[in-house]
Amino acid sequence: MSRPAVPPATRALTLAALLLLVLAAFGGVVRNDWFDIDDHAYVLDNPHVRPGLTAAGLAWEWTHADVGNVHPLTMTSHMVDVSLFGLRPGAHHAMSLALHALDALLLLLVLHGYTRAWWRSALVAALFAVHPLRAESVAWIAERKDVLSALFFLLALEAWRRWTLRPGAGRYALVCGALVLGLLAKPMLVTTPFVLLLLDAWPLGRLGFDAAARARGDTFGARIREKWPLWLVIAAFALVTLRTQGRAGALTIIPGLTFPLRASNALRSLWIYVGETFWPRHLVAFVPHDLMPHAAAAAAALVALVAVTVLVLRLPRRPWLAFGWLWYVGMLVPVINLVQVGPHARADRFTYLPAIGLAVMVVWEVAERTARVRAARLVAAGA
């Protein structure tokens, strides 16, 4: 079903309104100071970053793990900030805010490019932009890696859309380049090829499981094979990251935190994030492990995960539900703490990109159910 074109002036006003929304929600960060957790390690007391952009600093950051993580592009961005602004925290916060605003604008444009649904894409971008769970990523200088990696992630998605329209080596190289830069900012993006598979299925319609899809060559195997350079990239990054973090001591060994306890925490965290998305309360910067088994809650979480996954997959006429749910679950996998990195049980910042999937589910479903009544659409959008 084709959608009416949105006038350029309307698009410009929408983008301007989204930018103002971001500034209204997070503009106050420019008055913030440094945060006692990690900001000193990343910038203030970091001997390779504190001098600004130097050859020696670049050589170190691009050949060593810093603060137990492999993210040289992020550390380079901190060095650039110091060179430009010194150690004034407000300017560093402003740079993170600018990146978050750019992410929100890009999300709108990229999602519209895939779906041709301007207002739905705008609402998803707005929910992403101002949700309280974004606070850690935007207002914490040490979490620059979230907003920076998201920028290249969204560029990779747009590059993929363009490649599917007109395949070519140059366009595929842009996909790989954007993915590599995103991984250099934060290795969490190792699930990006899986997101591209979801986009192939919906809304691109390049992946099907019926006879017609097989006749066209739009099979799961074909879509897997065409991404082989991306699989090699993420395999290399995953191996390097795990080995480097292990040597740097970032793979935290917490006494008594066995794999079953980590699995229990992962299952429960998946649903806690969902709850915080719909009702954000009791948000804190650090959530420690309590080392309790919570067997019943973990079992219930697993049953609910399987049930919801089966349900959305059995609704082929509502493909956005499976798309959004699998986006959310899949993008959480690298940060769900099955492999313990750091001492925390979970963290709001880990939802920065995964929660986009939940927003797509809600916005598209509500829009479809209110499509016939204009008043209902306005009420739903306002709510």
Side-chain angles (χ1 to χ4, degrees), residues 5-260:
V6 178
T10 301
R11 296 189 186 192
L13 287 174
T14 307
L15 292 169
L18 181 58
L19 178 59
L20 290 176
L21 193 63
V22 173
L23 295 178
F26 288 109
V29 299
V30 298
R31 298 188 295 273
N32 288 2
D33 206 336
W34 300 96
F35 190 41
D36 287 342
I37 300 177
D38 285 348
D39 280 359
H40 288 264
Y42 275 76
V43 182
L44 285 178
D45 299 331
N46 191 312
H48 313 291
V49 175
R50 188 181 176 90
L53 194 63
T54 65
L58 286 173
W60 170 269
E61 295 296 351
W62 286 82
T63 56
H64 296 77
D66 209 343
V67 200
N69 292 292
V70 183
H71 46 209
L73 189 61
T74 294
M75 300 307 289
T76 300
S77 78
H78 288 304
M79 296 165 67
V80 170
D81 283 0
V82 173
S83 292
L84 292 175
F85 313 118
L87 296 174
R88 300 190 301 275
H92 291 251
H93 281 297
M95 186 63 73
S96 292
L97 175 60
L99 286 169
H100 176 61
L102 186 56
D103 290 342
L105 297 175
L106 264 178
L107 176 58
L108 167 51
L109 294 174
V110 171
L111 195 55
H112 173 252
Y114 275 95
T115 65
R116 313 314 299 174
W118 178 258
W119 296 113
R120 297 183 189 190
S121 301
L123 191 51
V124 169
L127 291 171
F128 161 80
V130 303
H131 196 282
L133 288 182
R134 306 291 88 79
E136 286 185 10
S137 300
V138 181
W140 191 355
I141 292 172
E143 287 309 313
R144 169 69 58 79
K145 52 184 173 285
D146 287 347
V147 293
L148 184 60
S149 64
L151 172 65
F152 293 107
F153 169 76
L154 292 168
L155 289 175
L157 299 193
E158 177 61 17
W160 181 254
R161 184 184 71 84
R162 292 171 183 255
W163 179 83
T164 61
L165 293 175
R166 195 175 67 192
R171 292 191 171 199
Y172 204 105
L174 289 176
V175 179
C176 293
L179 176 58
V180 168
L181 289 172
L183 289 164
L184 289 170
K186 187 174 184 178
M188 175 188 171
L189 299 187
V190 291
T191 54
T192 299
F194 296 96
V195 174
L196 298 182
L197 279 173
L198 293 176
L199 290 165
D200 285 337
W202 182 84
L204 291 181
R206 300 179 68 241
L207 175 59
F209 300 94
D210 55 11
R214 289 193 294 272
R216 296 192 307 269
D218 293 337
T219 63
F220 190 73
R223 298 297 161 243
I224 289 284
R225 289 191 296 273
E226 72 184 4
K227 296 176 179 61
W228 68 264
L230 305 180
W231 301 122
L232 291 179
V233 167
I234 66 168
F237 268 88
L239 179 61
V240 169
T241 299
L242 287 174
R243 293 186 63 181
T244 306
Q245 287 182 333
R247 291 173 180 174
L251 300 181
T252 305
I253 299 177
I254 299 176
L257 186 60
T258 61
F259 180 78

